[in-house]
Amino acid sequence: MTRIRTDLAVEAKEVYEQQNEGKIPGVQIEEYEEIGMKVTHVKIVNEHGEKSMGKPIGEYITIDMPEFVHYDKEVMDDVSKALAKTLSKIVKLDKSMTALVVGLGNWNVTPDALGPKVISKLMVTRHLKELVPDSIDENVRPVCAISPGVLGLTGIETAEIIKSVADKIKPNLIVCIDALASRKTERVNRTIQIGDTGISPGSGIGNKRMEISKRTLGIPVIAIGVPTVVHAATLANDTIDLAIDEIINQATKGGEFYNMLKSLNKGEKERLINEILHPYVGDLVVTPKEIDVVVDSISKVIANGINIALQPALDLEDINKYVN
Amino acid sequence: MTRIRTDLAVEAKEVYEQQNEGKIPGVQIEEYEEIGMKVTHVKIVNEHGEKSMGKPIGEYITIDMPEFVHYDKEVMDDVSKALAKTLSKIVKLDKSMTALVVGLGNWNVTPDALGPKVISKLMVTRHLKELVPDSIDENVRPVCAISPGVLGLTGIETAEIIKSVADKIKPNLIVCIDALASRKTERVNRTIQIGDTGISPGSGIGNKRMEISKRTLGIPVIAIGVPTVVHAATLANDTIDLAIDEIINQATKGGEFYNMLKSLNKGEKERLINEILHPYVGDLVVTPKEIDVVVDSISKVIANGINIALQPALDLEDINKYVN
Amino acid sequence: MTRIRTDLAVEAKEVYEQQNEGKIPGVQIEEYEEIGMKVTHVKIVNEHGEKSMGKPIGEYITIDMPEFVHYDKEVMDDVSKALAKTLSKIVKLDKSMTALVVGLGNWNVTPDALGPKVISKLMVTRHLKELVPDSIDENVRPVCAISPGVLGLTGIETAEIIKSVADKIKPNLIVCIDALASRKTERVNRTIQIGDTGISPGSGIGNKRMEISKRTLGIPVIAIGVPTVVHAATLANDTIDLAIDEIINQATKGGEFYNMLKSLNKGEKERLINEILHPYVGDLVVTPKEIDVVVDSISKVIANGINIALQPALDLEDINKYVN
Amino acid sequence: MTRIRTDLAVEAKEVYEQQNEGKIPGVQIEEYEEIGMKVTHVKIVNEHGEKSMGKPIGEYITIDMPEFVHYDKEVMDDVSKALAKTLSKIVKLDKSMTALVVGLGNWNVTPDALGPKVISKLMVTRHLKELVPDSIDENVRPVCAISPGVLGLTGIETAEIIKSVADKIKPNLIVCIDALASRKTERVNRTIQIGDTGISPGSGIGNKRMEISKRTLGIPVIAIGVPTVVHAATLANDTIDLAIDEIINQATKGGEFYNMLKSLNKGEKERLINEILHPYVGDLVVTPKEIDVVVDSISKVIANGINIALQPALDLEDINKYVN
């Protein structure tokens, strides 16, 4: 069985269901609507689920964004509100507690710039609470933010930077935003995943080795991710599978040839993929051409969703006055 | 036989050679080195060649750029010089004749922004020759430039805009720069194609319907193109072919199954491709993640190559003083 | 009397009123509110007005944008609607007539990029009306657009490019958008001027020599301008005036010194200004540091206002579906 | 005596000399040439110097860049080399010692983006030394880098972030890059200042309150700054002074009026400045229009200079291979 790595729990679930029959042991799935958007709530409850899904025990909620989100303010606001509602369910925080929002990724590389772009649209208040407390409503929660960069640009593990800053300012919650890779093009820029297990090593389209999670940082970590690319290698892999499935459908089940096709092994597939992507292999991604504009829109939607969730005492109009 | 559309003559040649044996009738091919770079000179000399290659009669020269070009000024200058040398071979122009350089593509979409980016780094002199002729060396050729945008942004055929401007300012030569799509990832950002047949409808990664050529404009048109993407549909298509070839290799030649595989028809392949790319199909491209930085470097190399070719009386240092 | 050049009619009026008493001959001024914004409507009705104001006979309408426009969607929509309402008053156009929108300025220079940025957010329909007429509502007006660049980048007079394209596609109306320079910092990014006399040579912060107007193009030209900078030379000039006024206030009126101050002549002032701005003089501008973000927001407001005005049959939601 | 704040020691010196006669007590000044560029070396040696200059005891070296630096690779390389030579004089570091380079400023605000832009062009090696030590020459120094953002975006004092990271990774040297404000337009984008006293609160055009220095961080801090703006308030102030000086020159020395002018006090001047800049006052800056392009060029020059200084064992060609 070929294991396809995916950043999305909802895709891991699909892969499992494709390769097995029946329910996934140790995993609870609930689907419902929020402001007209489909929400899929995946709970991995024990080690069985962990193993089947290739993801740690915890909650993973996926919101499917509607189609015209990027041009329509009302739809964008609705997505922000659905995100805020979802966040509120898994964020338990007194109003005086501090949140640190972390924008993962590289601001020079468009499909990886989602995190830093969210940071630039966030309502940041910690310094106002500290420096000019009288000028600011006491119901405003202290929020701070960093964009730590990526290992290739900084030479420092991203988790190390976050840990240093968190040790110093002692937030009660960390919210990480990251650009992800999905397996399917239909999810690119259309899906938001919210999880409570942090960021695992190697997730995201950047380069992260050390886990960013409650286990390593000692503070609850909520991860918000949006797939902005499919890896070209994933696309090539899935295309090969699809081609083979098609041929198998036309072959006689149980025949000699059928069995040969079934056994096209992983090594052979990888060789094919390397051949087709040479010399880029690892770095090629599949994106819509207009990725610049789209990442910009999505970063607004995410930033607003976080602002609403972290500042329950304010309405959107008040929030806008603080946003930079 | 499935026809793969490619913007590069060198790839059309490869496709032909893969599907046929022996030389391509009506096509002359010459390979040589220029400042250490491999140059492939494809001449389509008659209608046979035109038909086999799917490209009009004319010359198509491809320069393979070396690997570390984007970080190394010396290599970048070498590529500019090789480009200038190649251009000089097919550009026949008195020193007083005016050249119009056209940057095709959309400056808001990174992989399509190559043309407009080249324009912004060009040595433009026509206005100086007209407004302050005494301040400028008489050996400087009048050069002007436009970035006409793309149909989706302007609502006007790009060729119509170019024709209007050309009719008014009456240049003796038009040089078009365009971002292309290649079939193979190994050519992305690594190949420069120079051709004397203009831009055919539907070429480029933008959206052009009317030909930009001597035939439509009445002025010689040199096209300079660099592939910045592979269409995801091309990648999927080639991946399917490769997978099938692989399976065929393992099947008994002439057997029933072998023949079935050979006949997997175009319609079936297209359905598979649509399935894998849904819902984006037409718009998805495969690029290196760092496309922003790379397009920037290449636009410098191209602009410099054009500057050197169009201003034979000046050296690079003089040129830099004029460049904006 | 020192003549201060300003792109805004409302400022020319202020300068006149400061230097003279009473009404301006040949100029009618009307002030009113539109969706809570102050609108000043200046009509220059004859040659007396033309001479006093330094601007051609015609209408100049100024909308003062409210303060928090850049962060608040509702306020931004209100400004778009006020702009659309104002445009509708001076644009007389059958629904089948074609409009050409021209984004003046340089997209590489932030404070001068307003025009091209508006173009990228416009609802462009002419190609759809021509290529796929059945797919588009018959009430949609054909709109097309170009960003012709600036003389320094193209080597071609901007008006020449516009005239070539207009001669070819024969629009019934041209709408030009341009970044302006105001005299006062309080108007920077806060004022929209709509005029029916086109763009005069030397206006704008770019470099335009040939008039863009009904006189030169044979088609009505509406100009929409927003000041994005104050020239540093203007700021220095006004600062000197203010300093001298202050000193005069402290001197005895009619005394010898009073008269000396009054006579500080233009040449002396220019020498002072050159000294303070050396070696940049012409190119220095005064802007808010956040000009990148602000120009982006304003371009959305302007594009939306034009979209509403040019497509009276559609509502904002429909428009958003077409916008690219 | 009005105190003009300036980020440049060379300007503090000029202000002092203008207001006083003779040498500045406690300050040693040396001027010489480096690769054709004028270098001014200011040493503040004791508290007298500290008081007169408004800057802490330490060394401040200023390099004047030549005029056409932004378009000419050779001149750019020369400036990088002059910077590297100057850095080498004040950086004493064994080859195995780690350097942390900090890009101060806001990457979303062009004139303030110099620091983060330098970081994106730096040769970063610490992770390679740690993760793949065998793949990298042992003479390569471990270098790491961060762009901590600005207080308004992060809600965290910049110095706090730097201190957290420095405490964790324990570098032997910190190099900070910052965009500065000069008093004179002639120094904008033309001057590099290198100092060994760190960054004082309130310096830079961003917003920093806590000192970034050996005193606060426990590690030597080298600051590299380039003025990218003049504050509009500074320009207005200096213009007023110049205007008054001019009038004074025309008045009779010692006369009543002369004395009145001399006494135009600080409060009055501030009121004038506020009036002229209303409503922006604090945030307006004076820059060349092409600031985007210029900051980009300068960031390359600075990054290269640091690369050369920190990697004495490598030549420029080797460095380019590592740069991202």
Side-chain angles (χ1 to χ4, degrees):
Chain A
M1 188 189 84
T2 306
R3 183 95 230 192
I4 298 301
R5 226 189 46 60
T6 166
D7 294 329
L8 296 174
V10 83
E11 289 191 337
K13 164 187 162 288
E14 280 176 8
V15 172
Y16 182 92
E17 288 171 347
Q18 234 173 286
Q19 294 169 345
N20 304 271
E21 270 166 49
K23 280 191 163 188
I24 315 174
V27 176
Q28 292 165 10
I29 291 156
E30 198 189 339
E31 293 184 359
Y32 54 93
E33 289 224 335
E34 196 80 88
I35 322 182
M37 283 156 257
K38 187 184 161 194
V39 178
T40 309
H41 193 138
V42 174
K43 268 188 218 176
I44 303 181
V45 294
N46 60 29
E47 283 170 24
H48 288 294
E50 209 168 57
K51 216 173 144 192
S52 320
M53 298 282 285
K55 306 212 157 288
I57 291 172
E59 310 200 26
Y60 303 85
I61 307 175
T62 300
I63 302 171
D64 289 356
M65 293 189 257
E67 189 162 6
F68 280 102
V69 60
H70 313 308
Y71 320 127
D72 186 332
K73 291 171 192 175
E74 268 174 64
V75 180
M76 287 173 75
D77 277 355
D78 280 352
V79 178
S80 295
K81 283 172 197 163
L83 170 58
K85 229 167 157 176
T86 305
L87 280 172
S88 307
K89 275 181 205 158
I90 53 175
V91 172
K92 308 290 172 221
L93 216 54
D94 277 359
K95 73 179 181 189
S96 66
M97 288 178 167
T98 298
L100 168 63
V101 186
V102 178
L104 298 169
N106 183 346
W107 50 83
N108 300 309
V109 172
T110 308
D112 198 23
L114 180 70
K117 273 180 184 268
V118 168
I119 297 307
S120 73
K121 297 176 177 81
L122 215 62
M123 176 176 166
V124 166
T125 53
R126 179 179 172 270
H127 57 312
L128 304 175
K129 299 288 276 190
E130 297 213 335
L131 300 172
V132 286
D134 295 344
S135 78
I136 188 167
D137 190 300
E138 61 166 332
N139 288 315
V140 171
R141 175 198 304 292
V143 172
C144 54
I146 52 167
S147 297
V150 293
L151 182 60
L153 280 183
T154 63
I156 312 171
E157 287 275 10
T158 306
E160 264 190 294
I161 297 179
I162 300 170
K163 187 160 174 43
S164 322
V165 173
D167 285 353
K168 180 83 83 196
I169 67 169
K170 306 201 181 310
N172 306 91
L173 174 75
I174 291 179
V175 179
C176 287
I177 299 102
D178 202 8
L180 307 177
S182 62
R183 270 190 67 212
K184 298 215 168 160
T185 56
E186 72 191 47
R187 287 210 179 79
V188 167
N189 302 321
R190 285 286 180 77
T191 292
I192 307 175
Q193 174 173 278
I194 302 102
D196 67 356
T197 64
I199 307 270
S200 305
S203 284
I205 67 169
N207 226 348
K208 281 162 293 286
R209 238 142 294 215
M210 189 179 135
E211 201 178 290
I212 302 166
S213 69
K214 184 167 182 181
R215 207 177 53 76
T216 55
L217 302 178
I219 303 158
V221 176
I222 304 291
I224 300 176
V226 175
T228 60
V229 302
V230 172
H231 286 296
T234 305
L235 185 78
N237 179 88
D238 288 0
T239 306
I240 294 171
D241 284 349
L242 202 67
I244 292 173
D245 283 355
E246 185 65 21
I247 297 163
I248 287 176
N249 281 342
Q250 297 182 22
T252 320
K253 192 161 179 177
E256 175 201 1
F257 206 78
Y258 178 89
N259 294 329
M260 185 272 279
L261 284 169
K262 274 292 201 192
S263 66
L264 187 74
N265 69 24
K266 211 187 155 189
E268 283 164 334
K269 262 171 68 183
E270 267 178 17
R271 192 176 44 73
L272 291 178
I273 293 170
N274 286 346
E275 194 173 317
I276 203 91
L277 300 181
H278 173 83
Y280 283 101
V281 187
D283 284 343
L284 282 178
V285 293
V286 182
T287 63
K289 274 201 304 174
E290 302 74 9
I291 183 73
D292 308 67
V293 180
V294 176
V295 166
D296 215 55
S297 300
I298 294 179
S299 68
K300 267 179 226 161
V301 167
I302 305 279
N304 246 338
I306 297 174
N307 289 339
I308 299 170
L310 292 183
Q311 304 293 356
L314 304 185
D315 57 21
L316 251 177
E317 205 174 319
D318 289 325
I319 288 172
N320 282 328
K321 288 188 191 140
Y322 285 99
V323 173
N324 193 301
Chain B
M1 189 189 84
T2 305
R3 182 95 231 189
I4 298 299
R5 228 190 44 60
T6 165
D7 294 328
L8 295 175
V10 84
E11 289 190 337
K13 165 186 162 286
E14 280 176 8
V15 172
Y16 182 91
E17 288 170 347
Q18 232 172 288
Q19 294 170 345
N20 305 272
E21 268 166 50
K23 280 191 163 186
I24 315 175
V27 176
Q28 292 164 11
I29 290 156
E30 199 190 338
E31 293 184 358
Y32 54 93
E33 289 226 334
E34 195 81 88
I35 322 182
M37 282 156 257
K38 186 183 162 194
V39 178
T40 310
H41 193 140
V42 174
K43 267 188 218 177
I44 302 181
V45 294
N46 60 28
E47 282 170 25
H48 288 295
E50 208 167 58
K51 217 176 142 189
S52 319
M53 297 282 285
K55 305 212 159 288
I57 290 172
E59 309 199 27
Y60 303 84
I61 307 175
T62 299
I63 301 171
D64 289 355
M65 294 189 258
E67 189 162 7
F68 279 104
V69 60
H70 312 308
Y71 321 127
D72 186 332
K73 290 170 191 177
E74 267 173 65
V75 179
M76 287 174 75
D77 277 354
D78 281 351
V79 178
S80 295
K81 282 171 197 163
L83 170 59
K85 227 166 159 179
T86 305
L87 280 172
S88 308
K89 275 180 204 158
I90 53 175
V91 172
K92 307 292 172 217
L93 215 55
D94 277 0
K95 74 178 181 190
S96 66
M97 287 178 167
T98 298
L100 169 63
V101 186
V102 179
L104 298 169
N106 183 346
W107 52 82
N108 299 311
V109 172
T110 308
D112 198 23
L114 180 71
K117 273 179 184 269
V118 168
I119 297 307
S120 73
K121 297 176 176 83
L122 216 63
M123 175 176 168
V124 166
T125 54
R126 177 178 172 271
H127 58 310
L128 304 174
K129 299 289 276 190
E130 297 213 335
L131 301 172
V132 287
D134 295 344
S135 78
I136 187 167
D137 190 299
E138 61 168 330
N139 288 315
V140 171
R141 175 199 304 293
V143 172
C144 54
I146 53 166
S147 299
V150 293
L151 182 60
L153 279 184
T154 63
I156 311 171
E157 286 275 9
T158 306
E160 264 190 294
I161 297 178
I162 300 171
K163 187 161 175 41
S164 322
V165 173
D167 285 354
K168 181 85 81 194
I169 66 168
K170 304 199 183 312
N172 305 91
L173 174 74
I174 291 178
V175 180
C176 287
I177 299 102
D178 202 8
L180 308 177
S182 62
R183 268 190 68 212
K184 297 214 169 161
T185 56
E186 72 192 47
R187 287 209 179 79
V188 167
N189 302 321
R190 286 285 179 77
T191 292
I192 307 176
Q193 174 173 277
I194 301 101
D196 66 358
T197 64
I199 307 271
S200 305
S203 284
I205 67 167
N207 224 348
K208 281 161 291 288
R209 239 142 292 218
M210 190 177 134
E211 200 177 290
I212 302 166
S213 70
K214 184 166 183 182
R215 207 175 56 75
T216 54
L217 302 178
I219 303 158
V221 176
I222 304 291
I224 300 176
V226 175
T228 59
V229 302
V230 172
H231 285 297
T234 305
L235 185 79
N237 180 88
D238 288 2
T239 306
I240 293 171
D241 284 350
L242 201 69
I244 293 173
D245 284 355
E246 185 65 20
I247 297 163
I248 287 175
N249 281 343
Q250 297 182 22
T252 321
K253 192 162 178 177
E256 175 201 3
F257 208 78
Y258 178 88
N259 295 328
M260 186 272 280
L261 284 168
K262 274 292 201 193
S263 67
L264 186 73
N265 68 25
K266 211 187 155 189
E268 281 165 335
K269 262 170 71 181
E270 267 178 16
R271 192 176 45 74
L272 290 180
I273 292 169
N274 286 346
E275 194 174 316
I276 204 92
L277 300 181
H278 173 82
Y280 284 101
V281 187
D283 285 342
L284 281 178
V285 294
V286 182
T287 63
K289 274 200 303 174
E290 301 72 10
I291 183 73
D292 308 69
V293 180
V294 176
V295 166
D296 215 56
S297 299
I298 294 179
S299 67
K300 265 177 229 163
V301 166
I302 304 278
N304 246 339
I306 297 174
N307 289 338
I308 299 169
L310 292 182
Q311 305 293 355
L314 305 185
D315 57 22
L316 251 177
E317 204 175 320
D318 290 325
I319 288 172
N320 282 327
K321 287 186 191 142
Y322 284 100
V323 172
N324 193 301
Chain C
M1 188 189 84
T2 305
R3 183 94 229 190
I4 298 300
R5 224 190 48 59
T6 166
D7 293 329
L8 296 174
V10 83
E11 290 190 337
K13 165 188 162 284
E14 281 176 7
V15 172
Y16 182 93
E17 289 171 347
Q18 232 174 288
Q19 294 169 345
N20 304 271
E21 269 167 50
K23 280 189 163 188
I24 316 174
V27 176
Q28 292 164 10
I29 290 155
E30 199 190 338
E31 294 185 359
Y32 55 93
E33 289 224 335
E34 195 80 87
I35 323 182
M37 283 156 256
K38 186 184 163 193
V39 178
T40 310
H41 194 139
V42 174
K43 268 187 217 176
I44 302 181
V45 294
N46 60 28
E47 284 171 24
H48 287 295
E50 210 169 56
K51 215 173 143 190
S52 319
M53 297 282 285
K55 306 212 158 287
I57 291 172
E59 309 199 27
Y60 303 86
I61 308 176
T62 300
I63 301 170
D64 289 355
M65 292 190 258
E67 189 162 7
F68 280 103
V69 61
H70 312 309
Y71 321 125
D72 186 333
K73 292 170 191 178
E74 267 175 65
V75 179
M76 286 173 76
D77 277 354
D78 281 352
V79 177
S80 295
K81 283 172 197 164
L83 170 59
K85 227 168 162 179
T86 305
L87 280 171
S88 307
K89 274 181 204 157
I90 52 176
V91 172
K92 306 292 173 219
L93 216 55
D94 277 358
K95 74 179 178 188
S96 67
M97 288 177 167
T98 298
L100 169 62
V101 186
V102 179
L104 298 169
N106 184 346
W107 51 84
N108 300 309
V109 172
T110 308
D112 198 24
L114 180 70
K117 272 178 184 269
V118 168
I119 297 306
S120 72
K121 298 177 178 83
L122 216 62
M123 176 177 167
V124 166
T125 54
R126 178 178 172 272
H127 58 311
L128 304 174
K129 299 289 275 188
E130 298 212 334
L131 301 173
V132 287
D134 294 343
S135 78
I136 187 167
D137 191 299
E138 61 165 331
N139 288 315
V140 171
R141 175 198 304 291
V143 173
C144 54
I146 52 166
S147 299
V150 293
L151 182 60
L153 279 183
T154 63
I156 312 171
E157 286 274 9
T158 305
E160 263 190 294
I161 297 178
I162 300 171
K163 186 159 176 42
S164 321
V165 173
D167 284 354
K168 180 84 81 193
I169 65 167
K170 304 203 180 310
N172 305 92
L173 174 74
I174 291 178
V175 179
C176 287
I177 300 100
D178 202 10
L180 307 177
S182 61
R183 272 189 65 211
K184 296 214 169 162
T185 56
E186 73 192 45
R187 287 209 180 78
V188 167
N189 302 320
R190 286 286 180 75
T191 293
I192 307 176
Q193 175 173 278
I194 300 102
D196 66 357
T197 64
I199 307 271
S200 306
S203 283
I205 67 168
N207 226 347
K208 280 162 293 288
R209 236 141 296 216
M210 189 177 133
E211 199 176 292
I212 302 167
S213 69
K214 185 168 182 180
R215 208 176 54 74
T216 55
L217 302 177
I219 303 158
V221 176
I222 304 290
I224 300 176
V226 175
T228 60
V229 301
V230 172
H231 286 297
T234 305
L235 185 78
N237 179 88
D238 288 1
T239 306
I240 294 172
D241 284 350
L242 202 68
I244 292 173
D245 283 355
E246 184 65 22
I247 297 164
I248 287 175
N249 281 342
Q250 298 182 20
T252 320
K253 192 161 179 177
E256 172 201 8
F257 207 77
Y258 178 89
N259 294 329
M260 185 272 278
L261 284 169
K262 274 290 200 192
S263 67
L264 187 72
N265 68 26
K266 210 187 155 188
E268 281 165 334
K269 260 170 72 180
E270 267 177 18
R271 192 176 45 73
L272 289 181
I273 292 169
N274 286 345
E275 192 173 318
I276 204 91
L277 299 182
H278 173 82
Y280 283 101
V281 185
D283 285 342
L284 282 178
V285 293
V286 182
T287 65
K289 274 201 303 174
E290 300 75 7
I291 183 73
D292 307 69
V293 180
V294 175
V295 166
D296 215 55
S297 299
I298 294 179
S299 68
K300 267 178 227 161
V301 166
I302 304 278
N304 245 338
I306 297 173
N307 289 338
I308 299 169
L310 292 183
Q311 304 294 356
L314 304 184
D315 58 23
L316 250 178
E317 205 174 318
D318 291 323
I319 288 172
N320 282 327
K321 286 187 193 141
Y322 285 99
V323 172
N324 194 303
Chain D
M1 188 188 83
T2 304
R3 182 97 231 189
I4 297 300
R5 226 191 43 63
T6 167
D7 293 329
L8 296 174
V10 83
E11 291 191 337
K13 165 187 161 285
E14 280 177 9
V15 172
Y16 182 92
E17 288 171 347
Q18 233 174 286
Q19 293 170 345
N20 304 272
E21 270 165 51
K23 281 192 163 185
I24 316 174
V27 177
Q28 292 165 11
I29 290 156
E30 198 189 340
E31 293 184 359
Y32 55 92
E33 288 223 338
E34 197 79 88
I35 322 180
M37 282 156 258
K38 186 183 162 194
V39 177
T40 310
H41 194 138
V42 174
K43 268 188 218 177
I44 303 182
V45 293
N46 60 28
E47 284 171 24
H48 287 295
E50 208 168 58
K51 214 174 146 192
S52 318
M53 298 282 285
K55 305 213 159 287
I57 291 172
E59 308 199 27
Y60 303 85
I61 308 177
T62 299
I63 302 171
D64 289 355
M65 293 190 259
E67 190 162 6
F68 280 104
V69 62
H70 312 308
Y71 320 126
D72 186 334
K73 291 171 192 176
E74 268 175 66
V75 179
M76 285 172 75
D77 278 353
D78 281 353
V79 178
S80 295
K81 283 172 198 163
L83 170 58
K85 228 168 159 176
T86 305
L87 280 172
S88 308
K89 274 182 204 156
I90 52 176
V91 173
K92 308 290 174 222
L93 215 54
D94 278 358
K95 73 179 179 187
S96 66
M97 287 178 169
T98 297
L100 169 63
V101 186
V102 179
L104 298 169
N106 183 347
W107 51 84
N108 299 309
V109 172
T110 307
D112 198 23
L114 180 70
K117 272 177 184 271
V118 168
I119 296 306
S120 73
K121 297 175 177 85
L122 216 63
M123 175 177 167
V124 167
T125 54
R126 178 178 172 271
H127 57 313
L128 305 174
K129 300 287 276 188
E130 297 213 335
L131 300 172
V132 287
D134 294 344
S135 77
I136 188 167
D137 191 299
E138 61 166 332
N139 288 315
V140 170
R141 175 200 304 291
V143 173
C144 54
I146 53 166
S147 297
V150 293
L151 182 60
L153 280 183
T154 62
I156 311 171
E157 287 274 9
T158 305
E160 263 190 295
I161 297 178
I162 300 170
K163 186 157 176 43
S164 321
V165 173
D167 285 353
K168 180 84 81 196
I169 65 167
K170 305 203 181 308
N172 306 93
L173 174 74
I174 292 178
V175 179
C176 286
I177 300 102
D178 201 8
L180 307 177
S182 62
R183 270 191 66 211
K184 296 215 170 162
T185 58
E186 73 191 46
R187 287 209 179 79
V188 167
N189 302 321
R190 287 283 181 77
T191 292
I192 307 175
Q193 173 173 280
I194 302 102
D196 66 357
T197 64
I199 308 270
S200 305
S203 284
I205 67 168
N207 226 347
K208 281 162 292 287
R209 235 141 297 212
M210 190 178 132
E211 200 177 290
I212 302 166
S213 69
K214 186 168 182 180
R215 206 175 56 73
T216 55
L217 302 177
I219 304 157
V221 176
I222 303 291
I224 301 176
V226 175
T228 59
V229 302
V230 172
H231 286 296
T234 305
L235 185 78
N237 179 87
D238 288 0
T239 306
I240 293 171
D241 285 349
L242 202 68
I244 293 172
D245 283 354
E246 185 66 22
I247 297 164
I248 287 176
N249 282 342
Q250 298 182 21
T252 319
K253 191 160 178 176
E256 173 200 6
F257 207 75
Y258 178 88
N259 294 330
M260 186 271 280
L261 285 169
K262 275 289 201 192
S263 67
L264 188 71
N265 69 25
K266 208 186 157 193
E268 282 165 335
K269 260 169 71 180
E270 266 177 19
R271 192 176 45 74
L272 290 180
I273 292 169
N274 286 346
E275 193 173 320
I276 204 91
L277 299 181
H278 174 82
Y280 283 100
V281 186
D283 284 342
L284 282 179
V285 294
V286 182
T287 64
K289 274 201 302 173
E290 301 75 8
I291 184 73
D292 306 69
V293 180
V294 175
V295 166
D296 215 55
S297 299
I298 294 179
S299 67
K300 268 179 225 161
V301 166
I302 304 279
N304 246 338
I306 297 174
N307 289 338
I308 299 169
L310 292 184
Q311 304 293 356
L314 305 185
D315 57 23
L316 250 178
E317 205 175 317
D318 291 324
I319 287 172
N320 282 327
K321 285 185 193 143
Y322 284 99
V323 172
N324 193 304

